[in-house]
């Protein structure tokens, strides 16, 4: 497909989505505020841990690393958040999916271009201000500029791939609505499992070796752990390339999984009324 | 009172019938809350694999505080979950009119309408943690402390409920207040750990302004050390009562200010 055609066909989806999301920007600010509270709790818990351990090293992390890890994981969760699953499930439930199917556009791409408005808005509204605050705090406590532009660049690259993995993962999950009538409970379970599997609560580096190795290989680590570790500067060049390669691998797998589910699910589609 | 109880029982039975309809949803919901708390506990264990004490407390004591804080949270979650809907959509959609036309108190009706069985996850986890850790944490159960325990749990749950009523009532003026409830509610995360680890500012906020410290750390301090029952247990009762009175008066004013949003 030519780029010009993509732009003409799909950019309107993004534009419309940006407009409707901005209408709820106040909601979003409150939401991010309440999530931020959790980071502060953890920040103080870690401070107490470092105070109790006497040293400034906890399994290879110092307080600065821990601070960055907590807050960057929070920011990354926003950037890579995809709402494709609830959007799809809603359309399947109320039958409006038929409108999307009637249009001469690729189904997955049209959802993607609608969904991508999320990270775009959150990049401006959450990522930029948060990172600035984080870096100012870091600079002040360390007494020098700690910001690493190169790490930040690689972080964004890795974060973009993470978003795409998250998107295809959520699409596949959303297609479950073809088979299950009520996705609500499953949605909560998914959210909580992801939080754990992606290392958002406990950094994977702290987990028992066997568990750590398994989780590091699974696609969930690609969602936030990999980009965050790149930002903190915990990876050597080789590790970074390896993990980035793993991210690409999982992106392909998720893309294929999504296609596969779609192929079998679309045969079951039965829209009532309309 | 007898009539109220009867209505509550009838609504509860209806609720449980609908739960049977979505059995899988209920199971996954409760399971997720259990997993969520289990991960939280896993985190505490990992920390304690490296340090002997956190802010002067042993592993078992921290687990006790953590578990205790889940019980009032779970109780409130189980019985008053519908308050969230007021702030998120009942008022906005104009559905609140329904409650005003019934011959029972609207607040009671809202609360009685939903029984959130998912909260069983938090409750089971909380009770299990308290039971497992109480012995090693040197909690002494005398008739008096058991009485205090029950009082503390009830009034701590009311702190949650009061904060939800007060913030949900804001919807009567601004239509949607769910996010405000969310910000206040999330502050409860601070209750799971000793308040001594926080900065003075945060400690003041969670003691006197959004007093979630009374739903976890303070009452536990009494059970763990026997210190200062007047502040640690009496404080829970006082704070919950004051907060509930404020919340109810906001709710009452809100009802007067309410204008239907529907057509």
């Amino acid at each position: 497909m030519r780029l010009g055609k993509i732009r003409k066909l799909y950019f309107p989806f993004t534009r419309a989505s940006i407009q409707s999301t901005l209408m709820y920007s106040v909601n979003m600010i409150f939401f991010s505020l309440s999530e931020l509270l959790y980071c502060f709790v953890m920040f103080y818990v870690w401070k107490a841990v470092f105070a109790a351990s006497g040293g400034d090293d906890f399994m290879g992390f110092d307080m600065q690393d821990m601070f960055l890890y907590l807050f960057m994981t929070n920011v990354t969760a926003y950037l890579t958040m995809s709402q494709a699953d609830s959007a799809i499930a809603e359309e399947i439930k109320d039958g409006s999916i038929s409108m999307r199917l009637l249009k001469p556009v690729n189904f997955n791409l049209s959802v993607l271009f609608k969904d991508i408005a999320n990270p775009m808005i959150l990049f401006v509204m959450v990522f930029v201000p948060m990172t600035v605050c984080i870096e100012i705090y870091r600079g002040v406590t360390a007494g020098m500029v700690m910001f690493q532009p190169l790490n930040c660049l690689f972080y964004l690259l890795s974060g973009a791939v993470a978003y795409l993995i998250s998107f295809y993962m959520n699409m596949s999950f959303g297609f479950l609505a073809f088979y299950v009538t009520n996705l609500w409970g499953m949605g909560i379970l998914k959210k909580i499992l992801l939080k754990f599997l992606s290392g958002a609560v406990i950094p994977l580096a702290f987990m028992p070796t066997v568990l750590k190795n398994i989780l590091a290989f699974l696609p969930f680590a690609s969602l936030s752990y990999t980009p965050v570790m790149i930002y903190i500067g915990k990876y050597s060049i080789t590790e970074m390339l390896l993990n980035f390669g793993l991210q690409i691998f999982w992106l392909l797998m998720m893309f294929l999984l999504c296609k596969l589910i779609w192929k079998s699910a679309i045969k079951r589609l039965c829209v009532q009324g309309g | 009172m007898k009539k109220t109880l009867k209505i509550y029982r009838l609504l509860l039975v209806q609720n449980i019938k609908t739960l049977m309809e979505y059995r899988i949803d209920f199971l996954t919901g409760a399971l997720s809350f259990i997993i969520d708390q289990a991960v939280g506990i896993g985190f505490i264990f990992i920390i304690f694999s490296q340090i002997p004490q956190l802010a002067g407390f042993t592993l078992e004591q921290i687990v006790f505080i953590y578990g205790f804080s889940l019980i009032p949270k779970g109780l409130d979650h189980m019985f008053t979950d519908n308050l969230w809907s007021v702030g998120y959509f009942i008022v906005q959609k104009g559905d609140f009119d329904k409650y005003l036309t019934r011959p029972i108190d609207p607040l009671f009706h809202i609360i009685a309408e939903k029984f959130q069985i998912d909260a069983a996850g938090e409750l089971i986890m909380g009770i299990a943690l308290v039971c497992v850790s109480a012995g090693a944490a040197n909690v002494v159960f005398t008739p008096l402390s058991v009485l205090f325990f029950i009082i503390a749990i009830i009034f701590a749950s009311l702190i949650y409920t009061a904060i939800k009523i007060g913030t949900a009532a804001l919807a009567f003026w601004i239509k949607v207040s769910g996010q405000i409830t969310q910000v206040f509610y999330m502050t409860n995360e601070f209750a799971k750990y000793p308040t001594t680890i926080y900065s003075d500012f945060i400690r003041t906020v969670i003691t006197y302004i959004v007093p979630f410290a009374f739903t976890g750390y303070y009452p536990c301090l009494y059970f763990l050390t026997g210190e200062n029952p007047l502040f640690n247990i009496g404080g829970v009762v006082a704070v919950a009562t004051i907060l509930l009175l404020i919340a109810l008066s906001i709710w009452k004013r809100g009802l007067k200010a309410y204008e239907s949003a529907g057509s």
Side-chain angles (χ1 to χ4, degrees):
Chain A
M1 220 184 314
R2 284 203 335 275
L3 222 63
K5 195 179 158 206
I6 290 187
R7 209 177 79 198
K8 213 172 134 223
L9 266 181
Y10 296 100
F11 275 25
F13 285 103
T14 313
R15 208 163 33 242
S17 179
I18 289 180
Q19 280 161 356
S20 66
T21 313
L22 279 181
M23 280 189 33
Y24 297 102
S25 54
V26 180
N27 282 14
M28 231 152 57
I29 290 170
F30 272 107
F31 180 70
S32 48
L33 216 70
S34 59
E35 293 283 313
L36 207 59
L37 282 176
Y38 178 75
C39 283
F40 277 103
V41 175
M42 283 325 210
F43 173 71
Y44 282 104
V45 170
W46 278 111
K47 246 178 122 161
V49 170
F50 279 99
S53 72
D56 47 25
D57 178 85
F58 187 92
M59 297 172 114
F61 278 60
D62 62 20
M63 190 59 212
Q64 281 272 0
D65 293 336
M66 221 40 245
F67 164 77
L68 255 193
Y69 186 86
L70 286 174
F71 285 86
M72 284 316 288
T73 302
N74 182 267
V75 172
T76 312
Y78 285 111
L79 277 190
T80 59
M81 184 168 64
S82 162
Q83 283 164 351
D85 55 343
S86 47
I88 291 284
E90 197 59 41
E91 284 191 17
I92 292 173
K93 240 173 110 179
D94 68 16
S96 58
I97 191 173
S98 56
M99 290 310 293
R100 199 183 279 278
L101 286 170
L102 282 174
K103 287 177 192 139
V105 291
N106 177 301
F107 182 82
N108 285 357
L109 272 184
S110 72
V111 181
L112 175 64
F113 274 88
K114 179 174 171 247
D115 193 64
I116 212 161
N118 265 315
M120 283 165 74
I121 293 174
L122 290 168
F123 179 81
V124 180
M125 281 181 47
V126 177
F127 175 79
V128 175
M130 278 279 284
T131 326
V132 169
C133 290
I134 290 169
E135 289 302 338
I136 288 176
Y137 176 84
R138 259 198 342 146
V140 170
T141 44
M144 56 178 179
V145 179
M146 300 290 281
F147 181 61
Q148 305 277 344
L150 212 57
N151 282 354
C152 184
L153 189 74
F154 289 134
Y155 163 84
L156 287 175
L157 204 65
S158 168
V161 179
Y163 165 73
L164 288 173
I165 298 175
S166 159
F167 172 77
Y168 283 110
M169 203 185 265
N170 275 303
M171 280 291 270
S172 311
F173 183 78
F175 287 151
L176 285 181
F178 280 116
Y179 305 95
V180 202
T181 45
N182 213 323
L183 267 185
W184 185 83
M186 301 265 277
I188 291 195
L189 186 63
K190 182 199 75 170
K191 212 175 109 187
I192 281 164
L193 278 178
L194 272 184
K195 221 167 81 181
F196 170 65
L197 295 171
S198 66
V201 194
I202 310 166
L204 300 186
F206 296 169
M207 292 189 188
T209 320
V210 181
L211 190 62
K212 182 178 81 185
N213 289 340
I214 295 172
L215 291 185
F217 177 71
L218 290 178
F220 314 107
S222 295
L223 290 176
S224 85
Y225 192 67
T226 305
V228 171
M229 290 299 265
I230 291 177
Y231 192 96
I232 306 180
K234 283 275 165 205
Y235 282 154
S236 64
I237 296 286
T238 344
E239 279 176 311
M240 196 153 81
L241 286 175
L242 266 174
N243 280 295
F244 191 69
L246 191 64
Q247 275 192 305
I248 300 282
F249 167 75
W250 281 118
L251 175 57
L252 283 174
M253 294 312 280
M254 285 299 148
F255 176 76
L256 290 176
L257 177 73
C258 185
K259 279 255 175 276
L260 204 74
I261 298 184
W262 171 247
K263 277 234 167 80
S264 81
I266 193 65
K267 290 189 191 122
R268 286 177 59 109
L269 179 66
C270 168
V271 176
Q272 282 133 12
Chain B
M1 192 63 197
K2 213 173 148 194
K3 186 182 145 216
T4 313
L5 280 176
K6 191 180 163 208
I7 293 173
Y8 192 81
R9 210 190 64 228
L10 288 173
L11 285 168
L12 191 69
V13 171
Q14 285 309 316
N15 243 300
I16 289 171
K17 280 187 201 156
T18 48
L19 284 177
M20 297 323 277
E21 177 90 29
Y22 296 108
R23 225 168 303 160
I24 307 274
D25 244 16
F26 148 60
L27 282 177
T28 46
L31 186 68
S32 359
F33 284 111
I34 290 185
I35 294 178
D36 197 23
Q37 302 310 334
V39 172
I41 287 296
F43 170 72
I44 292 177
F45 271 87
I46 288 182
I47 287 180
F48 273 94
S49 71
Q50 305 292 315
I51 55 171
Q53 285 195 331
L54 183 72
F57 291 94
T58 62
L59 169 64
E60 289 83 6
Q61 290 176 318
I62 293 282
V63 171
F64 182 82
I65 300 174
Y66 193 101
F68 180 94
S69 77
L70 292 179
I71 301 175
K73 188 182 179 183
L75 276 177
D76 165 76
H77 183 185
M78 183 171 263
F79 291 105
T80 74
D81 205 42
N82 214 21
L83 287 168
W84 288 101
S85 326
V86 176
Y88 272 122
F89 52 80
I90 291 183
V91 172
Q92 188 203 19
K93 283 189 176 167
D95 289 344
F96 192 76
D97 296 7
K98 172 179 111 185
Y99 302 96
L100 293 172
T101 56
R102 306 274 163 87
I104 49 174
D105 182 65
L107 181 59
F108 167 74
H109 192 184
I110 295 259
I111 289 175
E113 206 176 35
K114 190 163 170 189
F115 176 74
Q116 183 56 279
I117 191 83
D118 290 7
E122 280 156 345
L123 274 179
I124 293 169
M125 197 73 189
I127 293 169
L129 290 176
V130 164
C131 292
V132 169
S133 63
N138 291 324
V139 177
V140 186
F141 280 109
T142 60
L144 184 70
S145 72
V146 170
L147 179 70
F148 278 171
F149 190 89
I150 296 168
I151 291 176
I153 292 282
I154 293 173
F155 281 88
S157 314
L158 289 176
I159 293 179
Y160 277 94
T161 311
I163 283 175
K164 273 158 69 182
I165 293 176
T167 50
L170 297 178
F172 293 131
W173 288 280
I174 58 173
K175 301 292 180 240
V176 179
S177 67
Q179 319 82 24
I180 300 177
T181 311
Q182 176 74 9
V183 173
F184 277 92
Y185 189 83
M186 278 298 281
T187 317
N188 82 70
E189 290 288 337
F190 287 99
K192 289 177 184 167
Y193 300 96
T195 55
T196 44
I197 67 171
Y198 305 118
S199 68
D200 291 340
F201 172 73
I202 293 182
R203 191 160 49 240
T204 312
V205 170
I206 58 174
T207 305
Y208 299 107
I209 300 173
V210 194
F212 276 119
F214 285 102
T215 66
Y217 176 63
Y218 289 137
C220 288
L221 198 59
Y222 170 75
F223 299 118
L224 292 171
T225 63
E227 274 170 21
N228 212 347
L230 187 67
F231 178 80
N232 289 330
I233 303 293
V236 184
V237 178
V239 158
T241 313
I242 294 169
L243 217 56
L244 200 60
L245 287 175
I246 296 174
L248 288 175
S249 101
I250 299 177
W251 177 271
K252 245 183 217 147
R253 277 159 203 255
L255 275 187
K256 279 197 192 118
Y258 172 72
E259 289 172 356
S260 179
S263 44

